[in-house]
Amino acid sequence: MKAAKSPATVEKTAAQPAKKPAPKTPRKRAPVPPPKPYHHGNLRDSLLDAADAVLLTHGASGITLREVAKAAGVSHAAPYHHFASLDDLLATVAERGFQRLIAALEPTTRLTNSRERLLQISEVYVNCARAHPSQFRLMFGPLLSRKREFPALQIAAERSFGMVVAAATALDPRRGTELALLGWSLCHGLSHLLIDGALEGMSMPLPPTALLARQLTERALDGGG
């Protein structure tokens, strides 16, 4: 058996202060990661889609970056991540409109009949205008005269008209540019008349709207006869 401790020993032991725990080595803080860049899915395309939607209700003259940001569900400052100004955004929307027109005209380039090619181009042009009236007005609005400030818009606009010139030149090499301007003017004016409803309720007989562009273009190619 172990010998019992004497009272003096017990008293001495109790009087000894408890040992302090060894100080903990301070932990190194993890480096703070840099702030993440602004992220909203594909912000650029979201803003362009929102601009298309705002155009339908406000028109090109009433659209603002604030309205576009609101429609896209982002902060008012978000559009400046991709567009320097409202005009920069609208020029890109107009460019997308010309790209859509180019894609619609592309099948006509495979036609070997030059006359039929021009007739189909006239139909495509008017159909695109009727399907996207707000974008159509923007495409050929004041920004078009400033297209050199927006190289992508200039390229798309000139390429679309170049497709018309190529088709007209294939039909008549000598008067290709003149025919292209004639066809463009005819289809552009007809597009505005249709999307503005100017031909509705007229007393004079008119062919069905779907055939109107083709028939008028045929008359123009035949010299109005």
Side-chain angles (χ1 to χ4, degrees):
M1 293 180 64
K2 292 183 178 179
K5 293 182 179 180
S6 67
T9 304
V10 173
E11 185 179 352
K12 183 178 180 181
T13 304
Q16 289 179 348
K19 291 183 178 180
K20 293 182 180 180
K24 294 182 180 179
T25 304
R27 293 181 180 179
K28 292 183 178 180
R29 291 186 179 181
V32 178
K36 293 182 178 180
Y38 185 92
H39 181 69
H40 182 268
N42 191 335
L43 176 60
R44 186 176 186 275
D45 284 348
S46 296
L47 289 168
L48 292 173
D49 291 340
D52 281 337
V54 175
L55 276 173
L56 289 174
T57 54
H58 291 70
S61 60
I63 193 171
T64 64
L65 279 177
R66 182 176 290 266
E67 288 291 339
V68 172
K70 182 179 179 181
V74 297
S75 70
H76 297 156
Y80 292 101
H81 286 269
H82 290 283
F83 304 102
S85 64
L86 176 61
D87 281 351
D88 190 24
L89 170 65
L90 293 180
T92 307
V93 174
E95 178 210 340
R96 288 209 312 180
F98 279 110
Q99 294 292 358
R100 185 188 298 116
L101 176 59
I102 289 168
L105 290 173
E106 189 64 35
T108 67
T109 63
R110 295 188 284 273
L111 296 175
T112 56
N113 185 316
S114 301
R115 183 184 176 91
E116 178 62 23
R117 184 176 169 188
L118 281 173
L119 293 175
Q120 289 194 24
I121 284 175
S122 67
E123 292 177 307
V124 167
Y125 188 97
V126 174
N127 287 339
C128 280
R130 295 178 64 208
H132 306 280
S134 299
Q135 289 83 354
F136 178 76
R137 294 184 194 281
L138 176 65
M139 289 160 60
F140 294 99
L143 278 176
L144 189 59
S145 65
R146 297 168 49 203
K147 59 183 179 292
R148 287 181 178 81
E149 299 174 33
F150 310 100
L153 172 59
Q154 180 177 6
I155 290 170
E158 292 179 354
R159 183 182 172 195
S160 63
F161 183 60
M163 296 173 80
V164 181
V165 173
T169 303
L171 179 66
D172 188 336
R174 186 174 60 86
R175 298 192 305 129
T177 302
E178 179 186 344
L179 280 179
L181 284 171
L182 172 63
W184 183 24
S185 300
L186 186 156
C187 293
H188 192 78
L190 177 60
S191 295
H192 273 292
L193 290 173
L194 290 173
I195 63 179
D196 288 338
L199 300 183
E200 295 176 8
M202 294 191 68
S203 57
M204 55 189 262
L206 291 172
T209 302
L211 301 176
L212 196 53
R214 171 177 280 264
Q215 290 192 9
L216 291 178
T217 302
E218 284 184 318
R219 289 292 185 91
L221 292 176
D222 293 337

